[in-house]
């Protein structure tokens, strides 16, 4: 049935979606977006937009709250696609378009090489697809995932970098062209390697391979698993030896208390929340403070909000620290490179606010009442729990370079704390 007809038939304008939405405060947005979508032709302006559709995090909290499985986000996505059809892709959409000159990951690559993975291009039973984010930006995710695979003795190959973009983040922003161009090529490459299992870290890549590609392309002759699903399987098969006491490793007072951050695009969008918890529950010397995703907090990164409204986005990420701390957590574990980067940035700004002296920012963990907590990727944590060495990472560099890239890629990127961040990263930049 036509999307607008579904809303006309089923939406009672009860406002339950608005009660939980972090961005919009009136159910009037629903008929207004319906009017926008159906007015004019596919590629011609009709009724003007009354609401700023860039404010949506695409967190899907609204859909989860709706008794009819509707919410606001579906209308936002359709509105974004229509707007792109009329006005063309925006600079912001170009950031995640691998064919665009202002692609964020290409820009970061001008200063720092992407991760050089072993096993690129070889035939293997398992293919790891880190996606642009874990190859080019938040590299600790890609590096840690292959470490965990090696600890479990998995025969794997890697398809990494911007060349192997899945196209789904761009499609989520309203520009479907990269997905249309790259989908079948990605599938053919995996088939050519004779692979039976594809694993992705990024929720966007997972959604592309699991849900979108089967509807649009052919010959998906392999199983698609998110990293946490694959780790849970390895655990069941007795191949993941979580031998290290992580409470002792982190110097916890008793067990290490873990807050698992549910990425919106994994938990609500594709229903993955049990597997990461199953894996974390098996780690010795650790316990989860949030055994269900109830009341999970959006990290603020998604839907393009980080680029259009950076301070709003980072303030939302700081909420994750506050929530985790209120539950007595020692550490936050994420399962998405974008979430992780934003939550690290939320921790950075929180620490700056907490700092009562002029000694400057430190990304070392400190004994403090400040609610900023250490942030780890799931694969990074699991690789440590298997007895591995810490994965190379530099949080200040990560958030400095990603902001610098946004500043150079966008004409109007306006992030007030950038100068302070640059000075913390390198005082000589002052
Ligand atoms: S979309 Fe769902 S929750 Fe929102 S107003 Fe309509 S029926 Fe209510
Ligand atoms: S998906 Fe968008 S509209 Fe829905 S709750 Fe999240 S921010 Fe609000």
């Amino acid at each position: 049935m036509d999307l607008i007809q579904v809303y006309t038939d089923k939406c009672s304008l009860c406002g339950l979606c608005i009660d939980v939405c972090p961005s919009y405060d009136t159910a009037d947005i629903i008929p207004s977006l319906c009017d926008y979508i159906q007015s004019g032709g596919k590629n011609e302006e009709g009724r003007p937009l009354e609401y700023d559709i860039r404010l949506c995090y695409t967190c899907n909290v609204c859909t989860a709250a709706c008794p009819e499985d509707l919410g606001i986000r579906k209308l936002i996505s359709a509105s974004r696609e229509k707007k792109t059809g009329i006005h063309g892709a925006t600079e912001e959409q170009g950031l995640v378009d691998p064919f665009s000159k202002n692609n964020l990951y290409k820009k970061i690559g001008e200063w720092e090489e992407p991760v050089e993975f072993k096993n690129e291009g070889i035939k293997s039973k398992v293919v790891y697809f880190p996606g642009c984010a874990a190859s080019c930006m938040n590299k600790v995710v890609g590096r840690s995932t292959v470490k965990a695979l090696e600890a479990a003795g998995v025969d794997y190959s890697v398809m990494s970098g911007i060349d192997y973009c899945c196209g789904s983040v761009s499609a989520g922003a309203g520009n479907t062209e990269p997905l249309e161009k790259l989908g079948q090529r990605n599938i053919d490459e995996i088939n050519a390697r004779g692979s039976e299992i594809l694993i992705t870290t990024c929720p966007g890549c997972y959604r592309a391979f699991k849900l979108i590609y089967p509807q649009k392309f052919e010959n998906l002759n392999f199983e698609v698993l998110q990293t946490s699903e694959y780790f849970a399987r390895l655990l069941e098969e007795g191949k993941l030896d979580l031998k290290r006491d992580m409470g002792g490793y982190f110097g916890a007072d008793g067990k290490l208390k873990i807050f698992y951050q549910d990425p919106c695009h994994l938990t609500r969008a594709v229903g993955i929340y049990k597997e990461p918890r199953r894996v974390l529950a098996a780690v010795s010397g650790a316990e989860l403070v949030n055994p269900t995703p109830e009341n999970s907090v959006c990290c603020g990164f998604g839907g393009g909000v980080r680029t259009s409204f950076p301070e709003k986005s980072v303030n939302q990420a700081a909420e994750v620290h506050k929530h985790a701390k209120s539950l007595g957590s020692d550490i936050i574990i994420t399962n998405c490179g974008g979430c992780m980067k934003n939550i690290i940035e939320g921790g950075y700004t929180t620490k700056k606010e907490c700092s009562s002296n002029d000694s400057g920012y430190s990304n070392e963990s400190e004994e403090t009442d400040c609610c900023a907590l250490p942030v780890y990727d799931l694969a990074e944590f699991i690789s440590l729990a298997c007895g591995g060495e810490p994965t190379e990472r530099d949080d200040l560099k990560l958030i400095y370079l990603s902001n610098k890239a946004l500043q150079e890629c966008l004409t109007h990127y306006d992030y007030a704390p950038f100068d302070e961040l640059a000075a913390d990263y390198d005082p000589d930049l002052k």
Side-chain angles (χ1 to χ4, degrees), residues 232-248:
R233 181 176 295 182
L234 291 172
L235 196 62
E236 266 169 35
E237 293 172 350
K239 293 178 182 161
L240 210 52
D241 182 9
L242 304 173
K243 55 186 172 230
R244 180 177 267 155
D245 179 297
M246 295 303 275

Side-chain angles (χ1 to χ4, degrees), residues 5-136:
Q5 194 60 51
V6 173
Y7 275 79
T8 308
D9 291 351
K10 295 188 173 174
C11 176
S12 60
L13 295 180
C14 66
L16 289 172
C17 52
I18 289 297
D19 292 346
V20 293
C21 175
S23 284
Y24 301 106
D25 58 9
T26 169
D28 290 348
I29 190 174
I30 292 170
S32 174
L33 290 179
C34 286
D35 285 352
Y36 172 73
I37 294 161
Q38 66 182 353
S39 66
K42 189 170 184 292
N43 293 320
E44 52 184 82
E45 195 79 71
R47 178 181 162 145
L49 273 166
E50 290 179 317
Y51 294 88
D52 192 338
I53 54 176
R54 297 172 305 159
L55 285 164
C56 173
Y57 293 111
T58 63
C59 64
N60 264 327
V61 170
C62 53
T63 309
C66 174
E68 301 290 347
D69 193 33
L70 297 174
I72 313 153
R73 188 244 163 116
K74 290 174 186 174
L75 296 173
I76 297 273
S77 298
S79 301
R80 285 179 174 179
E81 268 188 45
K82 175 166 177 175
K83 195 172 171 206
T84 303
I86 298 166
H87 301 287
T90 60
E91 260 191 334
E92 282 81 2
Q93 285 167 317
L95 293 171
V96 286
D97 178 346
F99 304 110
S100 158
K101 276 195 252 166
N102 73 326
N103 178 278
L104 181 70
Y105 307 112
K106 282 185 198 161
K107 180 53 74 178
I108 292 174
E110 290 176 13
W111 307 309
E112 194 183 60
E113 291 292 315
V115 179
E116 271 191 46
F117 289 100
K118 286 194 301 185
N119 302 353
E120 288 274 5
I122 63 169
K123 287 186 181 282
S124 63
K125 184 177 165 201
V126 174
V127 179
Y128 173 46
F129 191 95
C132 311
S135 304
C136 307

Side-chain angles (χ1 to χ4, degrees), residues 332-345:
I332 297 169
I333 297 192
T334 73
N335 194 8
C336 163
C339 290
M340 182 179 179
K341 189 210 74 72
N342 228 38
I343 297 169
I344 287 171
E345 200 155 2

Side-chain angles (χ1 to χ4, degrees), residues 246-261:
M246 295 303 275
Y249 180 83
F250 278 94
D253 184 12
K255 286 193 171 182
L256 180 75
K257 296 192 178 52
I258 296 171
F259 177 80
Y260 174 70
Q261 156 69 17

